[in-house]
Amino acid sequence: MENFITFFITVFTGFFAITNPISNMTVFVSLTQGADKKTKDDINKRANIVAFIIVTVFILLGKYIFELFNISIPAFKITGGILIFFIGFDMLQSKQSNVKSLEHVHIDENIAVSPLAIPILAGPGTIVTAMNFVSNAAPLKMFLVIAIFGSMSLITYFTFRLSDFIVKIVGHNVISVIGKIMGLIIAIIGTGMIIQGIKISFDLIAK
């Protein structure tokens, strides 16, 4: 029982750190700035559902998917890192919208799938972390990992739903600044993934 509790805490902590709902909330606010409440909620639901499905599929079938398409972990990290870097770069380059015209901003709801679900919520780090937790794990622990990630998806969903309330408190200008900072951080994370993938490829660090 003690090992079971330890495993639960380890998995929950790992997922919380890698998905980071608080930091990702600022990304969500930046990407959906100007959208109405219904559009934001639709994007929020879709992003978390898609992310949950993707991670669940990789938990159950990830090993076979990688083998089927001959995908290596280093290649996965490098590609994911490049995607994340360009997402961060785009956030750094984005212009602040005029607050008076926010009600008329059109938001492409496909951002729920990319970049929110992939690769922000269910990126290489999340998928690799999930696969590490279930490697050689019993079926019960495998489904426990799925349940824990499901709870993380719910936490992320409700965190995103509070974004409007937080914006009202801190203001659009502060959110814009936070968005720029998050863009920089995301670009740095992407660069770090690329470097890590290269190091693993050349056996410069332990796999």
Side-chain angles (χ1 to χ4, degrees):
M1 184 65 180
E2 185 177 343
N3 290 337
F4 190 81
I5 294 173
T6 302
F7 180 77
F8 178 90
I9 294 172
T10 301
V11 174
F12 183 86
T13 304
F15 275 142
F16 190 87
I18 197 70
T19 58
N20 203 339
I22 306 301
S23 295
N24 282 335
M25 183 197 68
T26 61
V27 178
F28 175 78
V29 169
S30 299
L31 292 173
T32 60
Q33 190 171 24
D36 57 64
K37 186 174 181 180
K38 182 181 182 304
T39 301
K40 284 187 176 183
D41 196 47
D42 289 343
I43 292 172
N44 185 8
K45 286 179 183 176
R46 188 177 176 190
N48 280 287
I49 290 172
V50 171
F52 175 75
I53 291 172
I54 290 170
V55 173
T56 299
V57 168
F58 273 96
I59 288 173
L60 297 174
L61 304 172
K63 180 181 178 181
Y64 306 103
I65 292 173
F66 274 43
E67 290 177 355
L68 177 64
F69 294 100
N70 197 26
I71 300 173
S72 66
I73 295 297
F76 190 62
K77 282 182 174 290
I78 291 170
T79 304
I82 292 171
L83 289 173
I84 292 174
F85 172 83
F86 278 109
I87 290 166
F89 183 78
D90 285 343
M91 289 175 65
L92 282 169
Q93 297 298 311
S94 63
K95 304 296 182 182
Q96 170 70 11
S97 300
N98 190 318
V99 175
K100 294 181 180 178
S101 64
L102 285 177
E103 295 179 357
H104 307 289
V105 175
H106 173 71
I107 300 295
D108 183 1
E109 294 191 26
N110 286 325
I111 63 172
V113 177
S114 178
L116 275 176
I118 312 166
I120 292 175
L121 297 180
T126 307
I127 292 172
V128 172
T129 298
M131 290 177 65
N132 285 340
F133 284 139
V134 298
S135 60
N136 300 319
L140 179 61
K141 285 189 174 181
M142 186 177 293
F143 285 106
L144 177 61
V145 171
I146 294 173
I148 293 172
F149 187 77
S151 69
M152 286 306 310
S153 295
L154 285 175
I155 291 171
T156 302
Y157 170 75
F158 286 111
T159 302
F160 286 2
R161 284 202 68 176
L162 291 173
S163 61
D164 282 337
F165 174 72
I166 295 173
V167 168
K168 287 180 181 178
I169 294 177
V170 302
H172 288 288
N173 290 333
V174 174
I175 290 297
S176 177
V177 172
I178 292 173
K180 300 287 185 181
I181 294 172
M182 284 307 304
L184 177 62
I185 292 173
I186 289 172
I188 292 171
I189 290 172
T191 303
M193 285 185 177
I194 295 170
I195 293 171
Q196 189 177 32
I198 292 172
K199 285 183 176 181
I200 294 175
S201 295
F202 291 95
D203 292 323
L204 298 177
I205 60 174
K207 294 183 178 180

